[in-house]
Amino acid sequence: MVWVTQKPRGSIRFWLLALLIPGIITLLLIDSWNDYDALKAVTEEVYDSALLEPAKVLETSVEFNPDGTLRIDPPFYAQVMLESRAGNRKYFRVEEVTPLALSLAGSPARQIKGNTLLGMHGLPRPEALADNEGMPIFYNAMYRNDEVRMVALWRDLHYEGVHRQVIVLVGESIDMRLRTQQEAWRLGLFRDGRMLILAVLLVWFSVEWALRPLSELRREIKARAVDNLMPLDADQVPHEVVPLVKAVNHHIDLYRRVLDKQAQFLADASHQLRTPLAIMRTQAQYAKREPDIGRMRETLGAIIGQLGRTSRLTEQLLSLAHASRNDMAPQARVDLNALAREVVLQYLPLARERHQDLGWVDDGGDADTQEDSQEAWVLGSDAEIHESIANLVHNAINHAGEGCTITVSAGIAQDTAWVSVCDNGVGLDPSLRESVFMRFDRGGSARKGMRGGGSGLGLAIALAYAERNRGTIVLKDGDPSAGGGVGLCATLKLPRYTA
C-alpha cells in the first residue's frame, strides 16, 4: 500500500497561528500546573512547620511529679498557638502509653493503648510512629466530620529509674490551607491569563508584521501589466522568501526568452516568406501579360519551382516551431541504426538526382570510440529523432556539392549512442560551425552558392529536436575532398539506453 502525504493547504498566516497559539497555551498550562504544584508544596511545608511547633512545645512540657506520675504545664504561648479560630480549628492530645512498650520506634500506633494526659479523646493516630524519638509523622485524617492535618511524635521519659512513654498528637483543619492554595491558584490563573492574552496578541501582530512583505509582493504582482516581465525585487522580502522570488524571476526570465524566441521566429518567418511570395506574385503578373506561350510556360515553371521551395520552407518553419516547444518529447525505445538506415533509403533518390553517392556504412564512422556493430538503443521520440537525422542528411545533400560522397553510420560509445553524417564536399570553416545552428544561417559564401542552398533551417531544426531528446549535435572535419580540403561531419549524440 502506498501512503500519499498531502501537503497542508491554506494560508501561511493560518498555519502559523494554528501551530503557535495552541503551543503557547499548552506551555502556559504546563507552567501554571508546575507553579501550582510548587506552591502547594511550599504551602504544605509552611503549615506543617507551624503545626509542628506546638507539638514540640507540648512534648517538652511533659514533666515528672515527685511520685513518678506525669504532669503537663504548657506555657502560655503554647495555649495561644493551640486556640481555635474561625476557619482554623485546632486539636491536640498528649497521652501516656500503658502498658509500656519495648520500643515505640516504627510501632503500629493504632494498636498502642494509652491514657490521656491532656487534650481531646479519639484523635486519630498515624499508621505507624516514627523510627526515631522526636521525629514528626505528618498525615491526613478525619476527626468529628472534619478533615484535619495531623502530626504525631513520641518520646521516652526517665526519672530516678522510672520510665514513661508519651505520644503527642496535634492537628488542625485544612480549611485555611485550602483557601490559601485556592487564592494563590486564582491569582496565578489571573496572571497566566493576562500573559496568555498578551502572548496571543504578540504572536498575532508578529505574524502580521512578518507576512506584510508577502502581501506587498502579492499586490505588486497583481498590479502588474500583462506584458510586464521585469524581475521581482528580491531585496524587499525576508531572507526566507528570497529563494522563492529568485525562482519566480527565473521562471519570468524563461518565459521572456520563450516570448522573444516566438517574436523572433515570427519576424524571421514573415521575412523569409515575404520574398518568395513577392517573387511568385511578380512572376504570375508577368505570365499574365506574356502573349508568348513558350515564355508563359517558362514563367509558370519558375512559379512551380518557387512554390516547391516555399513549401519546403513552410514545412521547415513548422518543424522548427514544433521542435522549439518546451514540453518533453514522448519516451520510447528507438534504435538509431535502424532509424539511420531508413533515412538513407528515404533520401537516396534525391542524392542520385544530385549525382551524389549516399550510403550506409555498417561499421560506423568513429572508429576510435566505437565498441562494435550492434543496435544503438536510445530513449526518446522516434519521429523527432528521425526528423533530426533527416535534416542532417538533407543538409549534407544540399551543401556538400554534386559528385560528392555522403556516408551515414551509427554506433555506441560508452553511455552515448550516435549517428554521423560525413561528406567530402566543400566543408565548413571551423569558425562558422557554431553559427550555422542559428536560424537562416547558411554558413558562408561557399555553401550559399551550392545548388539547392536551402533556407538555413536544417541544422537549427536538427539541433532543436536533438535537445528535446536530451542530445546534441557536434560538427567536425569530414572526409578528404577532391580539392585537397575536408568535408563536414555532423554527429548526433544521444544518451544510450540500457535495459
Side-chain angles (χ1 to χ4, degrees), residues 323-387:
S324 299
R325 294 185 306 173
N326 292 326
D327 57 333
M328 290 295 297
Q331 303 293 300
R333 291 175 70 243
V334 180
D335 181 15
L336 290 186
N337 272 299
L339 209 58
R341 285 194 296 268
E342 180 182 334
V343 173
V344 169
L345 294 176
Q346 176 185 348
Y347 279 93
L348 269 177
L350 180 60
R352 288 173 180 172
E353 181 184 339
R354 303 284 177 86
H355 306 289
Q356 296 168 337
D357 182 11
L358 174 63
W360 166 265
V361 178
D362 195 32
D363 58 355
D366 198 0
D368 56 341
T369 59
Q370 182 185 354
E371 293 179 357
D372 52 19
S373 178
Q374 55 181 307
E375 294 176 329
W377 290 104
V378 297
L379 197 63
S381 169
D382 184 290
E384 294 181 0
I385 298 175
H386 178 280
E387 187 68 16

Side-chain angles (χ1 to χ4, degrees), residues 423-425 477-487:
D423 63 66
N424 61 350
D477 291 340
D479 300 328
S481 64
V486 291

Side-chain angles (χ1 to χ4, degrees), residues 279-298:
I279 293 174
M280 285 188 291
R281 179 184 178 89
T282 302
Q283 290 173 335
Q285 291 174 348
Y286 176 79
K288 181 179 180 181
R289 296 192 302 267
E290 180 59 52
D292 188 347
I293 299 298
R295 292 184 178 179
M296 183 184 296
R297 288 174 180 258
E298 181 181 349

Side-chain angles (χ1 to χ4, degrees), residues 42-113:
V42 171
T43 304
E44 292 289 341
E45 183 178 355
V46 170
Y47 274 88
D48 285 349
S49 297
L51 185 64
L52 178 61
E53 186 174 354
K56 286 288 187 181
V57 173
L58 289 176
E59 177 196 11
T60 58
S61 298
V62 180
E63 298 179 354
F64 278 96
N65 291 316
D67 59 355
T69 59
L70 298 176
R71 72 175 187 275
I72 301 177
D73 294 323
F76 177 75
Y77 66 86
Q79 299 177 17
V80 172
M81 287 188 292
L82 291 172
E83 288 181 356
S84 297
R85 293 185 296 273
N88 189 20
R89 294 171 294 278
K90 298 290 185 69
Y91 308 99
F92 62 94
R93 179 182 180 185
V94 181
E95 56 182 323
E96 180 183 359
V97 177
T98 57
L100 291 175
L102 294 177
S103 175
L104 294 179
S107 299
R110 296 178 182 178
Q111 299 178 7
I112 297 175
K113 296 181 179 180

Side-chain angles (χ1 to χ4, degrees), residues 402-466:
E402 291 190 3
C404 69
T405 300
I406 302 173
T407 304
V408 180
S409 59
I412 54 177
Q414 297 180 353
D415 295 332
T416 303
W418 51 267
V419 174
S420 289
V421 180
C422 299
D423 63 66
N424 61 350
V426 298
L428 182 64
D429 190 274
S431 62
L432 301 176
R433 290 177 184 173
E434 292 294 330
S435 63
V436 291
F437 289 107
M438 299 177 62
R439 298 167 181 173
F440 308 111
D441 189 297
R442 294 175 174 84
S445 58
R447 293 171 66 86
K448 289 178 184 178
M450 303 307 299
R451 177 186 175 189
S455 61
L457 291 175
L459 289 179
I461 295 173
L463 180 61
Y465 276 125

